[in-house]
Amino acid sequence: MDTEISYILKRTVVSAKPVQQGKYFPLSVLDRCMENNHIKIVYYYKTVGEKVLGEMTKKLRETLSEMLTHFPIVTGRLIRDERGHWKIMCNDAGVRMMEATAKGSVEGWLRNVDREKELKLVFWEDILHKTYYWSTFYVQVTEFEVGGLAIGLSCTHLLADSTSATNFIKAWADISLVGKLIDPPMFHPLPLPRLGNKKPNHHPYIELINHYKSSIQKPIPIKESMYTTMSLGFSDQMVQACISMTQTITPFEALAGLFWVSLSKIKGLRNGLVDMSICVDVRKVLGLDHGFFGNCMIYNKVHAEGTSGNNDFPQAAKTIRDVVAKMDNEGTLDLIEWFENNDINSPALKNGHDVIIANLEGMDPYVAEFQEGFKPIHVSYYVEPVLGEGQLLILPPSPGEGPLSRVVMVTLREEEASKLCEDDLITQFSPTILMKC
C-alpha cells in the first residue's frame, strides 16, 4: 500500500451541456496506427496562498465539466464501424477522474521523484473488452498536504497525440482562469492528397511508407526488461554549443544526434549506430492549425549509412536533419494516401523495436494557468509502453530558461540508464538531473 498517496475517490465527470445525439467521429489513418500506445502527462503546480485541502479539486472538477462540452470526442466511447475501424460515438459517457492527496509538499516530491513515484500521479486503465464502458481519457488531481498540486492526464494515443493532450489541459486551464476557451479545438479530417496537385513525375516517399510497412509486419515484443526514466535539463548555452558542433539548425537535431551516438556506445556498438527512428509533429507541414485535435506525429527510420561509427556525432545529427527535411508536405501526404489505399486494420506498436527520439519541443505546456499566478513549475511526458531499445522525448524547458534550453526525458533499460549519466559525450554538456533513474 502506498503511504505517500491516498486515493480518495474515482468518479465520472460528464459535460455541463448534453452532447448532440447521434453524432460520431471517425478516426483518421494516423489515429488508427497508434491504437496500441497511450500517453501520460503530469503537471506540477505550487499552491498560491492558503488553501483548504480538497477545495482546488472541487473547483477543477467543476471547470472540467464545463470544458468537456467543447470536447465531445473525449467524452464519447469507442465502437467499430462497418469496416471494423474504430470511431467515437458521442454519447457523453464522460471521463474518469481520480481524486487524491499526497504527503509533504510538491517541492519536496520533485526533489525525490523517480519514474515509479511519478506514475502514481497518473491514473490509467487498459482498454476493456467491452469498450462501451471504457473511458479513453483519465485525469487525476493530487493535492499535497503541505502545499502544491499535481494534475495527471492519461489517454489512448488512438484519439490524441502529445500536442492534442497538451492543448486539452490548456483548454481546461483557460476555462478555469477566464471562463472561456482561448484556442478552441479543431475537429476535422486530415488533408487528402489531390492527384491534380502533384508535381509532374512525382515519386512517393517510399522510405517513409516502408518504415510503416515494416513496423506493421513486425510482431509486438514481449516485455522482458525493466525500464526506468530519467529527466535531463540542457541549458541554453550548452544546447547552443551542441548546435555549433553539429552545424545543425534546431535543438532537436543536435540533441537527437548527441543521444543517438551516446546510446550506441552504451549498447556496445563499436562500429555503426543503434537502430533509431524519429517522431515529429507534421501539423505545420500539412498546413493544419496547432489546435488540430487528433494524431499528427509521424515516425520515420533514420539510417546510419554515412556515419563513421560512434564517434561521428556531427554526422549523426546531419543525418537526422536530412530525414526531417524529407518529411515534408508531399512525403507526409504520400503516407496518408498509402494508408487510405491499403485497409490496414492491424496497428503496430510504436516504441516496440528501435530507439525512438520524439520531437515535442513545439509544445508549450507551461501556459496552462488555472488561476492567476498558478502556472506549472514542471511537466513530465510518457508515451507508453516502451518495449524496444528505448525512448527519448525532447521537450521545451520550464519558464525562465533560455529559448534553446531543452529537457530530455530518457526511458531505457535500468542497466543502460545508469551508464548514460556517466557517458563522456553527454557529461561534456553538463546536463542537470531533474529526475533520477
Side-chain angles (χ1 to χ4, degrees):
M1 184 73 177
D2 194 314
T3 58
E4 287 188 279
I5 299 179
S6 298
Y7 299 99
I8 299 168
L9 176 67
K10 182 176 77 170
R11 67 172 81 228
T12 299
V13 180
V14 299
S15 306
K17 296 179 182 178
V19 71
Q20 177 185 343
Q21 293 296 313
K23 192 173 184 179
Y24 296 87
F25 276 105
L27 300 180
S28 77
V29 292
L30 297 185
D31 292 329
R32 298 201 301 267
C33 71
M34 297 306 298
E35 176 181 339
N36 291 320
N37 294 88
H38 57 274
I39 295 167
K40 295 178 178 178
I41 312 175
V42 183
Y43 284 68
Y44 294 95
Y45 292 85
K46 286 183 180 179
T47 305
V48 181
E50 293 292 327
K51 296 291 181 184
V52 177
L53 206 62
E55 182 181 272
M56 191 66 182
T57 298
K58 181 176 183 295
K59 180 182 179 186
L60 289 175
R61 185 170 67 242
E62 292 168 353
T63 56
L64 175 63
S65 177
E66 294 176 35
M67 183 270 289
L68 289 174
T69 302
H70 305 278
F71 287 84
I73 191 172
V74 169
T75 58
R77 292 295 181 263
L78 287 166
I79 61 170
R80 299 280 188 180
D81 65 16
E82 62 280 359
R83 298 168 64 189
H85 295 152
W86 290 118
K87 66 179 180 179
I88 290 290
M89 177 174 63
C90 299
N91 59 354
D92 199 20
V95 303
R96 302 283 188 260
M97 180 177 183
M98 176 66 79
E99 299 173 11
T101 60
K103 292 185 176 180
S105 68
V106 70
E107 295 93 339
W109 177 278
L110 285 171
R111 282 194 293 270
N112 299 289
V113 72
D114 57 20
R115 174 188 171 92
E116 184 181 0
K117 285 183 65 175
E118 186 158 70
L119 290 180
K120 291 174 182 176
L121 300 175
V122 192
F123 183 73
W124 173 251
E125 292 178 327
D126 287 322
I127 188 167
L128 299 175
H129 177 66
K130 294 183 178 181
T131 58
Y132 189 85
Y133 300 103
W134 182 66
S135 177
T136 58
F137 274 65
Y138 298 81
V139 296
Q140 178 175 325
V141 177
T142 305
E143 293 193 52
F144 289 85
E145 292 177 352
V146 184
L149 180 83
I151 296 176
L153 171 71
S154 61
C155 65
T156 173
H157 216 314
L158 183 63
L159 262 64
D161 59 17
S162 297
T163 299
S164 294
T166 303
N167 290 342
F168 179 83
I169 292 287
K170 173 62 164 52
W172 187 7
D174 289 345
I175 290 289
S176 301
L177 181 66
V178 297
K180 64 178 182 180
L181 290 190
I182 296 174
D183 299 301
M186 307 189 79
F187 304 104
H188 54 72
L190 291 169
L192 290 175
R194 294 179 182 176
L195 190 61
N197 288 346
K198 289 186 178 179
K199 295 178 182 177
N201 303 316
H202 171 72
H203 298 287
Y205 184 18
I206 199 67
E207 289 88 351
L208 179 59
I209 294 171
N210 283 342
H211 176 58
Y212 274 82
K213 275 186 182 178
S214 65
S215 66
I216 292 168
Q217 293 164 358
K218 287 180 181 177
I220 295 175
I222 298 172
K223 185 171 184 178
E224 297 177 345
S225 302
M226 291 298 293
Y227 290 81
T228 188
T229 301
M230 71 178 81
S231 186
L232 304 174
F234 288 81
S235 69
D236 188 283
Q237 183 181 4
M238 289 296 99
V239 175
Q240 181 60 67
C242 193
I243 290 173
S244 298
M245 285 179 64
T246 57
Q247 298 181 359
T248 51
I249 298 174
T250 69
F252 170 74
E253 295 160 0
L255 290 172
L258 173 71
F259 278 92
W260 190 17
V261 171
S262 177
L263 289 175
S264 300
K265 290 164 59 182
I266 290 167
K267 291 176 181 290
L269 277 72
R270 296 186 178 180
N271 295 300
L273 300 174
V274 66
D275 289 341
M276 192 269 285
S277 298
I278 57 172
C279 176
V280 299
D281 191 321
V282 292
R283 282 172 174 76
K284 187 177 293 185
V285 162
L286 292 176
L288 295 171
D289 187 87
H290 185 74
F292 171 84
F293 194 90
N295 279 281
C296 256
M297 303 292 292
I298 298 292
Y299 291 77
N300 200 5
K301 185 89 169 184
V302 182
H303 296 279
E305 290 87 349
T307 58
S308 58
N310 57 24
N311 291 318
D312 202 350
F313 163 39
Q315 183 57 46
K318 290 175 184 175
T319 303
I320 292 168
R321 179 190 63 192
D322 292 342
V323 172
V324 172
K326 291 178 182 177
M327 297 167 74
D328 59 6
N329 180 271
E330 285 202 350
T332 303
L333 290 177
D334 288 338
L335 176 67
I336 294 172
E337 184 176 34
W338 177 79
F339 268 118
E340 294 285 358
N341 292 337
N342 294 272
D343 194 17
I344 306 297
N345 211 13
S346 55
L349 175 69
K350 298 304 178 185
N351 308 339
H353 299 281
D354 297 352
V355 169
I356 304 292
I357 305 182
N359 183 356
L360 303 181
E361 61 185 7
M363 305 183 307
D364 192 359
Y366 293 96
V367 297
E369 184 176 4
F370 282 86
Q371 289 183 349
E372 191 73 36
F374 193 66
K375 295 180 179 180
I377 57 172
H378 184 73
V379 183
S380 294
Y381 285 79
Y382 297 85
V383 180
E384 301 280 291
V386 178
L387 301 179
E389 292 295 327
Q391 175 186 258
L392 288 84
L393 306 179
I394 298 181
L395 302 160
S398 57
E401 302 292 335
L404 296 178
S405 302
R406 293 293 182 270
V407 171
V408 183
M409 289 197 70
V410 185
T411 300
L412 293 172
R413 297 181 180 95
E414 289 183 343
E415 64 273 16
E416 295 171 341
S418 58
K419 294 178 183 178
L420 184 69
C421 291
E422 301 168 358
D423 181 69
D424 293 341
L425 193 57
I426 299 293
T427 56
Q428 70 174 300
F429 293 101
S430 306
T432 302
I433 299 177
L434 303 174
M435 184 171 78
K436 61 188 178 181
C437 60

